């Protein structure tokens, strides 16, 4: 970001864009929450985000989040928005109140097992690969019902909704069909299973206006709030290690 632009100013602009997208699509801006994605940024950015009024922060790696959350101002709710390996389920649940990236029964089983032991009550989202890009993580839509059925039997984790990543393209309109398809999946599975899936996590800096028009309730924003990401340089004391 231009160095003169503060997070608070960027946030005001983002809120105006969200209000515009809501007006266009007949939605209420209160139904859209901003998740500030602080990956690669340090605790000073976390503080700035918190002071600007952002209440939910997202990280995409468990290890990076572990030191950052420990060194950061208390208060924000933290969400994991990146891929999660099963062997990191335990530290992930210590750090995050919501996991956006559940993409298998085996991962869900592990989260349920750890949550049962620790008494945590995380919200989880299923990450659905609606665009069909081979490189993307996430469940193909036809594999999701099996995971939903498993989630319905879980007593500790709550299936709260769906998440998707749109393929990056300079023209956000090209992401619209992906977001629309995630909403259609949500509507279909709500009917099929007789459940509510209120959260739709979709939209990033480049395409969040379109995502809001298509029903996003959580937009995951990094660059538009915090500027371009610094390249991570490993530090001598290797403080990324747990
Ligand atoms: C980095 C990241 C974001 C934010 O990306 P921007 O384009 O900087 O807004 C959102 N979601 C996920 C899963 C990410 O990894």
């Amino acid at each position: 970001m231009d160095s003169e632009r503060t997070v608070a100013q960027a946030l005001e602009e983002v809120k105006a864009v969200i209000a515009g997208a809501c007006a266009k699509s007949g939605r209420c801006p209160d139904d859209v929450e901003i998740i500030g994605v602080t990956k690669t940024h340090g605790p000073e950015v976390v503080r700035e985000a918190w002071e600007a009024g952002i209440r939910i922060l997202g990280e995409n790696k468990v290890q990076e989040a572990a030191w950052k959350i420990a060194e950061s101002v208390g208060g924000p709710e933290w969400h994991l928005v990146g891929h999660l390996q099963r062997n990191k389920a335990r530290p992930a649940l210590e750090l995050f109140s919501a996991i956006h990236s559940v993409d298998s029964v085996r991962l869900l089983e592990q989260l349920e097992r750890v949550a049962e032991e620790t008494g945590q009550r995380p919200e989880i989202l299923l990450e659905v690969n609606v665009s069909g890009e081979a490189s993307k993580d996430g469940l193909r839509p036809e594999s999701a019902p099996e995971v939903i059925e498993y989630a319905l039997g879980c007593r500790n984790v709550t299936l709260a909704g769906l998440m998707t990543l749109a393929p990056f393209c300079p023209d956000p309109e090209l992401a619209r069909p992906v977001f629309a398809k995630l909403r259609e999946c949500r509507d279909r599975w709500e009917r099929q299973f007789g459940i509510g899936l209120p959260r739709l996590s979709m939209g990033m800096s480049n395409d969040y206006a379109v995502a809001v028009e298509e029903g996003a309730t959580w937009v995951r924003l990094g660059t538009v709030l915090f500027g371009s990401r610094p390249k991570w340089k490993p530090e001598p004391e290797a403080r990324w290690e747990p």
Side-chain angles (χ1 to χ4, degrees):
M1 141 174 62
D2 342 326
S3 45
E4 328 80 62
R5 193 147 142 279
T6 64
V7 171
Q9 286 164 337
L11 182 62
E12 284 318 302
E13 292 172 23
V14 164
K15 283 183 178 166
V17 170
I18 291 175
C22 284
K24 209 167 149 187
S25 53
R27 301 188 60 209
C28 172
D30 291 346
D31 295 338
V32 183
E33 285 182 293
I34 293 165
I35 301 179
V37 179
T38 45
K39 68 185 184 201
T40 75
H41 294 286
E44 68 291 345
V45 170
V46 172
R47 171 177 292 280
E48 211 185 335
W50 174 254
E51 286 172 356
I54 298 174
R55 291 295 171 259
I56 311 178
L57 295 178
E59 286 286 325
N60 70 336
K61 293 196 176 105
V62 173
Q63 266 193 358
E64 178 180 341
W67 77 260
K68 191 180 301 180
I69 294 173
E71 298 200 4
S72 290
V73 59
E77 185 182 314
W78 289 90
H79 291 190
L80 181 67
V81 299
H83 185 68
L84 177 61
Q85 288 169 298
R86 279 195 315 140
N87 61 6
K88 299 223 176 87
R90 190 173 299 273
L93 289 184
E94 279 167 21
L95 297 165
F96 300 106
S97 58
I99 312 273
H100 289 224
S101 49
V102 174
D103 60 358
S104 70
V105 169
R106 294 177 75 215
L107 175 59
L108 186 54
E109 262 173 1
Q110 183 67 11
L111 289 166
E112 170 71 5
R113 188 176 311 131
V114 172
E116 166 82 43
E117 261 177 60
T118 58
Q120 280 143 331
R121 294 290 178 273
E123 282 194 3
I124 58 133
L125 306 186
L126 298 189
E127 180 175 352
V128 184
N129 176 355
V130 287
S131 69
E133 266 189 301
S135 62
K136 287 257 189 304
D137 296 320
L139 288 157
R140 296 306 326 251
E142 57 274 18
S143 313
E146 177 199 3
V147 189
I148 296 173
E149 284 195 16
Y150 189 88
L152 294 180
C154 292
R155 290 180 307 143
N156 300 286
V157 306
T158 302
L159 174 59
L162 308 177
M163 178 272 226
T164 200
L165 279 168
F168 178 84
C169 31
D171 178 4
E173 278 302 323
L174 297 176
R176 188 183 295 279
V178 172
F179 299 142
K181 209 163 157 202
L182 191 72
R183 173 170 38 77
E184 287 158 19
C185 285
R186 191 269 309 272
D187 295 347
R188 183 164 77 244
W189 295 331
E190 282 191 331
R191 282 195 306 273
Q192 184 178 338
F193 294 95
I195 53 174
L197 296 169
R199 313 274 196 203
L200 281 184
S201 168
M202 57 188 197
M204 305 180 16
S205 292
N206 185 54
D207 53 21
Y208 68 99
V210 171
V212 169
E213 288 173 27
E214 294 300 329
T217 67
W218 273 336
V219 289
R220 308 180 307 268
L221 304 178
T223 319
V224 72
L225 292 171
F226 309 125
S228 52
R229 281 183 276 278
K231 280 264 180 294
W232 169 250
K233 290 192 225 68
E235 297 197 357
E237 65 269 40
R239 55 181 187 151
W240 292 80
E241 295 311 317

